[in-house]
Amino acid sequence: MGMRASWAVLDADDFYYSARQAKVSSEYAFWRICQVGTEPASEEDWTTVTAMLHRSTGMSHGTITRHLDALHTLDRLPRLKALVESTWLLDMTHLGYIDRTIIKAPAELREDAFLWAALDDDLIECFTPSRARQLLPGKRAIVDTVSNTIRSVEAAAAPDQKPEGGETSAGPTPCEDPASLMRTLPPPEDPFSPVLDVQDLAGGEIRFELIVDQATGIRISDAVSGVASGGKISQAKAMVSLLLGNVTATVTTLLYQASDIEHAPALHPTHGILTDRAAEVLAGMVTRTIDMAGAAEAVTHAYVPTFGIRCSIIGRDWVCRWPGCNRRAARCDADHRVNHAEGGPTTAGNMIMLCRHHHNRKTDEQIHYVLDPHTGDVYWLFKDGTWTVSEAVGPLTPKKKRWAQTYSQRRSRQYERAAAKAAAERFEAYQSKAANAPPARTSGSDPDPPPF
Ligand SMILES: [Zn+2]
C-alpha cells in the first residue's frame, strides 16, 4: 500500500489513541513508583512489603507481585524496555504474558545472559511492524515467541553431567571402573514415566490428573480432538468415550519442520514448539510427508480443501485470523474469501482460518477482509471505513522460516557450550579427587563420588 510500517494501536489519528497512550503510560509510571517504594525488599520481607502497598493502594498481594515481576523481567530486556518507554506499544498485560512465560524456562537457563539477549532480539522482532496499521500481536503470538526462544537456547544436558545420589536405583557402587559405573546410571534417554493422580471429590465426582511426556500428550490430545470434532462433542466427552472403548480413533498428528535447515524446530499446531525428545519420538512415527511449497499452490474443484491445502493454510495462519482471536487454526474452519459458489477457488490463496464463532460473523457480512495470497497478510475492513492488517504468524511464513535459521544456529552454539561445560566439570571433579578433597556434591547416601 506504499505506507510506512506502523502499529494500529499507535495510529495518532485513531479515536482512542490519546486515551490509550495516557492509560498505558500512567499505569506503567504507577508500577515503577511501586517498584521504587518496595526496593530493596528481600524474599522474607515481601509479604510485609505487599501488605504496606495494599494499605496504600488497595491492590492485592497477587496483583502487586505479578506487576512488579513483569517490570523486573522488562529490566533485563534493554531493547524492549526502550521500545516500551518510547512508544507505549505494550501495556502491563503484555509485559505479564512475557514474564509468566519466561518463568517456565529451566532454572539453569534463567540467569543465562545468552537467553536474555536472545529474548530481547526475538521480542524486538515480534514487536517491529512490517505493514502499515498492523494489528498488535496477541497473547498467543507473544507466548509462542518467548517459548520458542527458550527452546532455541536450551541444550540437552550432557548425559554424564549429573550422576546424583537418590536418582540411581542401583545405589552406591563400590567400583572404580568408569565403564561399569555408567551402567548403574539410568540411560540418558530414559522415557518419561506417566503419572496418574485420582482423587475423590466431595460431591462424589472423581478427578483424574494425568501427566505424560510431550510426544505421548500430543498423540492423546490429537486423538481426543479427532473424536471431538468427528462426533461434534466436547473434548472431555470425547476422552471419556475413548477411555471406555466406545469409539476408536485414527490419530492424525501434524508436525511442521523445515527440511532444508539442519536441526530445524519441529512445531505442532496446537502444542507449539517440541522438545528434542518429543520431536525425535514423533519423527520416528511419520507415515506421510507433504511438500508445503506444492500445497500452497494446489487447487481443488471441491468445496472442502484437500488435506494438503488445509495443512498449508494452518501452517501459514496458525491461529484464527479474526483480529484479537487466539484460537488455534487446527481447530478452525477454512473460509473461502471469494465464496466457492461465486467461483472462488478452494486454494490457500483464497482461504483463511476462522474459528466457528468468527466464521459465522464473517458470513453475516459485518466485516470484510482482503487476503494477500503471496504474504498471507489479511486486511480487515471495518464498517466505518477503517482498516488494519494482520500478519500471518505460522511456521510457513517467510519471517518464521528465517527464525528457524536463528533457532538452528543457537542450538548448535548451546550444544557446544554444554559440551564444554561438561568437560570442565569432569576436569574439576578429577582434580578434586586427585587432591583428595571432600566430595563437592553432598548427596547423603553416596560416600564415594563418581571417579571422573
Ligand atoms: Zn476466532
Side-chain angles (χ1 to χ4, degrees), residues 321-340:
R321 297 301 295 274
W322 187 275
C325 186
N326 285 303
R327 194 166 277 264
R328 294 288 193 191
R331 303 211 171 123
C332 292
D333 301 331
D335 176 60
H336 286 79
R337 192 191 89 76
V338 179
N339 290 333
H340 188 248

Side-chain angles (χ1 to χ4, degrees), residues 193-214:
S193 301
V195 179
L196 177 64
D197 184 41
V198 184
Q199 236 187 317
D200 290 312
L201 300 181
E205 302 99 329
I206 302 176
R207 178 194 172 97
F208 294 85
E209 190 177 79
L210 174 69
I211 302 175
V212 295
D213 66 279
Q214 195 186 32

Side-chain angles (χ1 to χ4, degrees), residues 320 322 325 327 354-355 358:
C320 166
W322 187 275
C325 186
R327 194 166 277 264
L354 288 178
C355 68
H358 290 129

Side-chain angles (χ1 to χ4, degrees), residues 75-115:
D75 287 337
R76 307 187 71 172
L77 301 163
R79 295 177 69 198
L80 189 71
K81 184 180 175 183
L83 178 78
V84 168
E85 294 183 350
S86 62
T87 62
W88 308 119
L89 177 68
L90 307 182
D91 61 23
M92 292 304 297
T93 306
H94 298 119
L95 300 181
Y97 297 150
I98 296 169
D99 175 58
R100 287 198 296 284
T101 313
I102 291 176
I103 288 169
K104 293 177 191 154
E108 71 273 13
L109 267 188
R110 260 175 264 152
E111 297 306 317
D112 189 327
F114 184 64
L115 171 70

Side-chain angles (χ1 to χ4, degrees), residues 155-171:
D160 54 352
Q161 233 175 340
K162 41 180 176 187
E164 281 168 4
E167 296 293 320
T168 315
S169 54

